[in-house]
């Protein structure tokens, strides 16, 4: 078993662990990282970009270096390398937790329990649910499933294919920092700039792979391709619109429009304007599409990593 095969085996095992067990309820390594990053932020915070750049470099660099040193410590043990890749993959993936949260909200909506759905929505996204009706909550869930399929599944697997275990863990660190300090609050407007821009850069390849795989998994691939290519760049995020527009076309629903985050209101372009509004039943369809995209991403990235290692071995 060569290095590429070891990583491929570990990635598959980690993916299956996420599918079977989802995220650990206690002591999740990402939560531990978040706690440490929060303490470091309080020590390093200054209201300018340079301080934020140092903060981002220290957090991400420490994670990547730690993963690299762990791999080096295992030496030529391919089974040890596979176990490390499996643990890292399980740590960074969040596809099962994502679809479980979405399904829980969809179940509440189908039962007519709007208050319960509103209470649960913040577990999935940052929108203010207090004034959302059933259709608006369903739309928020589908959009979150689309965006987080890229962030919580495909991008992590993509960086694993590109940079092995350090790539897997470094991407999750970048994505976590963006959630912590990358938003446009007065405190983080400058300090979080580096984290937000690095997350945009790191999310670029996986977002486009997510869109391609959503097209491939769609019941009507031509419609999904058309909506993605036409509307994918209309979104204010350079990456979120790729996945959301492809999901809109794949599901045959209209996404985007007005969003409320607490006191802040955003008017985003509509994705798939000619399609019908989202219905509650589309939540389960979005979850099914997310699982299909995740499985395809695993196959593509594992194959690419194994082929790259094989070619290096022959050269």
């Amino acid at each position: 078993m060569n290095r590429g095969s070891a990583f491929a085996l570990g990635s598959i095992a980690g993916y299956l662990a996420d599918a079977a067990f989802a995220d650990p309820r206690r002591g999740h390594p990402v939560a531990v990282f978040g706690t440490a990053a929060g303490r470091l932020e309080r020590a390093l915070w200054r209201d300018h970009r340079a301080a934020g750049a140092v903060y981002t470099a220290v957090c991400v660099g420490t994670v990547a270096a730690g993963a690299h040193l762990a791999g080096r410590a295992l030496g030529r043990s391919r089974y040890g390398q596979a176990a490390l890749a499996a643990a890292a993959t399980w740590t960074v993936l969040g596809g099962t937790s994502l679809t479980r949260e979405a399904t829980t909200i969809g179940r509440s909506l189908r039962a007519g329990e709007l208050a319960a759905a509103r209470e649960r929505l913040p577990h999935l996204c940052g929108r203010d649910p207090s004034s959302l009706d059933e259709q608006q909550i369903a739309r928020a869930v589908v959009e979150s499933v689309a965006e987080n399929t890229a962030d919580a599944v495909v991008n992590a697997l993509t960086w694993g294919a590109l940079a092995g275990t350090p790539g897997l863990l470094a991407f999750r660190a970048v994505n976590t920092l963006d959630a912590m300090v990358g938003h446009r609050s007065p405190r983080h407007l400058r300090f979080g700039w580096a984290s937000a821009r690095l997350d945009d850069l790191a999310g670029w390849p996986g977002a486009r792979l997510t869109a391609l795989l959503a097209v491939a998994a769609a019941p009507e691939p031509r419609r999904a391709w058309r909506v993605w290519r036409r509307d994918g760049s209309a979104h204010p995020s350079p990456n979120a619109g790729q996945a959301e527009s492809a999901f809109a076309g794949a599901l045959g629903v209209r996404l985007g429009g007005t969003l409320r985050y607490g006191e802040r209101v955003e008017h985003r372009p509509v994705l798939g304007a000619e399609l019908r509004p989202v219905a509650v039943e589309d939540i389960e369809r979005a979850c099914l599409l997310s699982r299909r995209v995740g499985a395809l991403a695993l196959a593509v990235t594992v194959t690419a990593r194994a082929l790259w290692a094989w070619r290096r071995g022959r050269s």
Side-chain angles (χ1 to χ4, degrees), residues 121 125-129 131-133 135-141 143-144 234-236 244 254-271 278:
L121 186 63
C125 63
R127 299 180 198 179
D128 179 5
S131 61
L132 299 183
D133 60 22
Q135 192 277 327
Q136 291 169 326
I137 291 177
R139 192 193 90 195
V141 171
E143 290 172 353
S144 296
H235 197 283
E244 289 186 23
R254 183 168 64 244
L255 300 178
T258 302
L259 307 176
R260 181 180 295 276
Y261 296 90
E263 297 181 355
R264 178 167 57 91
V265 177
E266 291 187 12
H267 300 283
R268 294 183 180 175
V270 175
L271 310 175
V278 177

Side-chain angles (χ1 to χ4, degrees), residues 14-92:
Y15 184 92
L16 293 176
D18 176 68
F21 307 115
D23 293 326
R25 293 186 178 274
R26 295 182 179 179
H28 196 298
V30 174
V32 174
F33 169 80
T35 300
R39 291 174 179 170
L40 185 62
E41 180 201 347
R42 290 191 288 274
L44 295 182
W45 186 88
R46 301 292 186 278
D47 192 20
H48 51 76
R49 290 180 176 182
V54 170
Y55 168 76
T56 302
V58 170
C59 289
V60 178
T62 300
V63 170
H68 176 72
L69 291 174
R72 288 287 298 273
L74 292 170
R76 294 182 177 274
S77 172
R78 297 301 185 227
Y79 291 104
Q81 297 284 350
L84 179 63
T89 303
W90 184 22
T91 294
V92 303

Side-chain angles (χ1 to χ4, degrees), residues 223 226-227 230-231 249 252-254 270-276:
R223 181 183 64 198
R226 183 183 72 249
V227 175
R230 186 192 66 203
D231 297 341
V253 298
R254 183 168 64 244
V270 175
L271 310 175
E274 74 278 16
L275 304 175
R276 64 173 176 81

